Amino acid sequence: DIQMTQSPSTLSASVGDRVTITCRASQSITTWLAWYQQKPGKAPKSLIYKASTLESGVPSRFSGSGYGTEFTLTISSLQPDDFATYYCQQYDTYSPTFGQGTKVEI
Amino acid sequence: EMRLLESGGDVVQPGGSLRLSCTASGFPLSKSVLAWVRQAPGKGLEWVSTISGVDAAVHYADSVKGRFTISADNSKNTVYLQMDSLRDEDAAIYYCANEGHSSGHCGSFDPWGRGTLVTVSS
């Protein structure tokens, strides 16, 4: 299986900060990468697919980039509603795998 | 609006069985691919299984292969996950999710259901 590694595991930030989360794949997945946001007690919500395409309704302060094995999720100006855990997921193979998550906290 | 609703979660003893259901609304299962993704308490996300409503193709994670069976009833727009020989490590919230965007092998997941809790305990 393709291993996905996120960094950092926890990120302390303030409202208005620019935040970047990194996701690395153990082998090339071209752009078959998605990002999700999960709040406590809730199901994950899809933010980005194909590395950089925003899902409908996702605020433009979220952006994704990368190719091959290294990817980033950037929040340009952190809002109170953005404090959550973020996961990356590869879907290059028949066995999709997730990163371990990055918790964005105050 | 696409919606998924899971049910069937319960407390079960190790070695026991349970069947989860996921009912889709707002879109036909016959044109979709649905997956089960689980999350153990305080842990990350783990893909479990996928079924195509188009051609009934199925895929399983190695951790559940031979113990779990995914199936679909297109007439009821419902996907099932039959879980046998349950282990302590199967305890989790089980989410149903639609493959929103595919690479041709599998896809990203959107939307997700609210999940159903499976507890494995003696």
Side-chain angles (χ1 to χ4, degrees), chain A residues 1 32 34 36 38 41-46 48-50 55 87 89-100, chain B residues 37 39 43-47 50 59-62 95 99 101-110 112-115:
Chain A
D1 287 357
W32 301 120
Y36 303 91
Q38 187 179 33
K42 300 293 186 182
K45 171 189 172 184
S46 181
I48 289 170
Y49 64 95
K50 212 163 184 292
E55 291 279 7
Y87 294 93
Q89 175 231 333
Q90 67 80 17
Y91 52 104
D92 184 59
T93 70
Y94 283 113
S95 293
T97 48
F98 294 86
Q100 80 279 16
Chain B
V37 178
Q39 186 170 38
K43 302 297 184 182
L45 301 167
E46 179 189 17
W47 168 77
T50 296
H59 300 280
Y60 297 97
D62 287 344
Y95 295 102
E99 276 197 1
H101 306 282
S102 176
S103 66
H105 297 122
C106 62
S108 62
F109 301 118
D110 179 60
W112 297 60
R114 296 174 68 178

Side-chain angles (χ1 to χ4, degrees), chain B residues 18-65:
Chain B
L18 201 60
R19 188 178 83 158
L20 306 182
S21 300
C22 169
T23 300
S25 58
F27 65 102
L29 181 58
S30 59
K31 296 185 178 180
S32 303
V33 177
L34 291 191
W36 289 97
V37 178
R38 68 185 180 183
Q39 186 170 38
K43 302 297 184 182
L45 301 167
E46 179 189 17
W47 168 77
V48 173
S49 183
T50 296
I51 186 166
S52 168
V54 178
D55 61 7
V58 299
H59 300 280
Y60 297 97
D62 287 344
S63 58
V64 306
K65 202 171 292 183

